Amino acid sequence: MSKRVLTTESGAPVADNQNSASAGIGGPLLLQDQHLLEKLARFNRERIPERVVHARGSGAYGYFEVTDDVTGFTHADFLSSVGKRTQLFLRFSTVADSLGGADAVRDPRGFAVKFYTEQGNYDLVGNNTPVFFIKDPIKFPDFIHSQKRDPFTGRQEPDNVWDFWAHSPEATHQVTWLMGDRGIPASYRHMNGYGSHTYQWTNAEGEAFFVKYHFKTNQGVRSLSSDQAAELAGKNPNSHQTDLLQAIERGVNPSWTLHVQIMPAADAAEYRFNPFDLTKVWPHRDYPLQRVGRLVLDRNPDNVFAEVEQAAFSPNNFVPGIGPSPDKMLQGRLFAYADAHRYRLGVNHTLLAVNAPKATTAQNYGRDGLMASNSQGRGAKNYEPNSYDGPTETGHALSAPLSVTGYTGTHEAPQHAKDDDFYQAGELYRLMSSEERSRLVANIAGGLSQVSRDDVIEKNLAHFHAADPEYGRRVEEAVHALRED
């Protein structure tokens, strides 16, 4: 059997891949050595800018299978019949750290799903928590700056982290989640996923519903204590990546059951708190979980860089029957995610294999740009309308229209009767066992006690007192005890 011939990128055979061309034996190297220059130039460009957030990630392919009829709420084709399967790609990630960080850290986890549906790709971009730290996207860059490495010290600074939270009382609910027992998942397989945002479903009759997605792990929720995580992160920084890879290679395919909460659109205006506030959950007693289907991961990527790092998820990739809600954070992400990918990967990132539609074909008039590979054929038109049988609009909206009224301006979110930044954080605390409360208090105090300014500490303590008197008292006592040591 003859060996395959090594070639340059232009296809020319390579004579010597061990020695660079030089001016005589032992002489300086030659600029004419095209193979050497090509290898070094490509090596310098092997990496692209990492994501500003969610940089460190893992992913796998799989499928979603409908198990329950939801056609009364949405006419999305991939949810149209029990038993229907849709291929997908799921990317997990940590949020704050860089690509070189460890997996086992106290941080929210990204849970981003790309459904390759017959009506186009549907991207559902969520986290492993049902809420978030802020409710308005204008605060997002500031929030991330406070959590990232300080530009002077080069490390995450408790002063920055807690100073931002001190001035953002709406973060109290998510801080309680993050500092609780589920703040460090044992693996990606052993955590839930949430759409977090509120989305809109529309049925075939045009009725609109607001929904929240809940992916419940079928492996059971397992988490790490702070001490366990610190030990694991030191021994194996790639713990979550390794666990996911090896499980699927062994045929132990992780799965999640998708449930949704469904709110009739008419309920939203008079609901007791703003249902589009990302810092709040909808109580299950108001809107019970309804099962939809099962998500299964059964194939690892062949190339982590090509498929995991270049996977591009955009919350504005909707399909007929699914659309956005007035959720402010979602509205901001409709722009920000797609724009981040155009920066990192280029305007043609949707042509990459992991991002391209698989169950249908993209047909539009986008043309050229960096790394363009679709010539559209000889004589193809790149404008619309045209008289040459090019693709045309359907005239059918993907989702129901949202009612708007009032004057333009920088408005705070509309107030509902029970809007409050602290009540749900207190509810979460009161749901915990005594042991869970003790660990939560210790985790918060461990970080807050490192803050250098007393006024920042006091502002944060006031948030915990407002959530629950016992919660505030115990955190305050623990912080003071640590600062006296």
Side-chain angles (χ1 to χ4, degrees), residues 414-467:
Q415 290 296 302
H416 291 237
K418 298 291 185 180
D419 272 334
D420 177 274
D421 288 328
F422 308 110
Y423 179 76
Q424 289 200 351
E427 286 280 271
L428 180 57
Y429 176 81
R430 289 184 286 274
L431 282 173
M432 296 179 180
S433 67
S434 60
E435 292 81 8
E436 289 173 324
R437 294 182 188 183
S438 294
R439 290 189 290 268
L440 168 67
V441 168
N443 291 334
I444 293 173
L448 188 54
S449 63
Q450 299 177 51
V451 174
S452 61
R453 289 181 48 171
D454 290 342
D455 61 320
V456 173
I457 293 176
E458 292 305 318
K459 280 188 174 71
N460 279 286
L461 290 176
H463 298 167
F464 300 122
H465 278 290

Side-chain angles (χ1 to χ4, degrees), residues 176-198:
T176 304
W177 266 90
L178 180 62
M179 297 298 173
D181 279 2
R182 296 193 180 189
I184 314 178
S187 79
Y188 289 132
R189 295 183 298 127
H190 294 93
M191 68 180 196
N192 293 335
Y194 301 88
S196 301
H197 296 289
T198 300

Side-chain angles (χ1 to χ4, degrees), residues 323-388:
S325 78
D327 179 335
K328 282 189 172 184
M329 283 296 294
L330 173 60
Q331 293 284 323
R333 283 172 167 156
L334 297 181
F335 162 76
Y337 275 63
D339 188 58
H341 304 318
R342 295 185 190 105
Y343 161 67
R344 291 183 63 245
L345 304 171
V347 71
N348 285 306
H349 66 272
T350 55
L351 303 180
L352 296 170
V354 70
N355 299 322
K358 298 190 185 304
T360 187
T361 301
Q363 301 183 88
N364 54 62
Y365 295 94
R367 176 177 273 184
D368 303 334
L370 188 67
M371 298 297 289
S373 62
N374 57 335
S375 65
Q376 296 188 349
R378 180 179 299 179
K381 307 306 177 185
N382 67 333
Y383 58 87
E384 196 279 334
N386 63 59
S387 303
Y388 295 87

Side-chain angles (χ1 to χ4, degrees), residues 241-254:
Q241 161 68 17
T242 301
D243 175 84
L244 181 65
L245 175 76
Q246 292 181 347
I248 295 175
E249 288 297 292
R250 295 195 311 269
V252 182
N253 298 329

Side-chain angles (χ1 to χ4, degrees), residues 51 54-61 89-93 99 241 244 300-313 344-345 354-355:
R51 290 168 168 85
H54 297 278
R56 182 173 181 82
S58 302
Y61 294 93
F89 182 79
L90 196 160
R91 186 178 188 270
F92 305 98
S93 56
L99 189 58
Q241 161 68 17
L244 181 65
N300 284 309
D302 294 324
N303 184 300
V304 171
F305 175 78
E307 297 164 269
V308 178
E309 292 315 305
Q310 293 194 121
F313 300 85
R344 291 183 63 245
L345 304 171
V354 70
N355 299 322

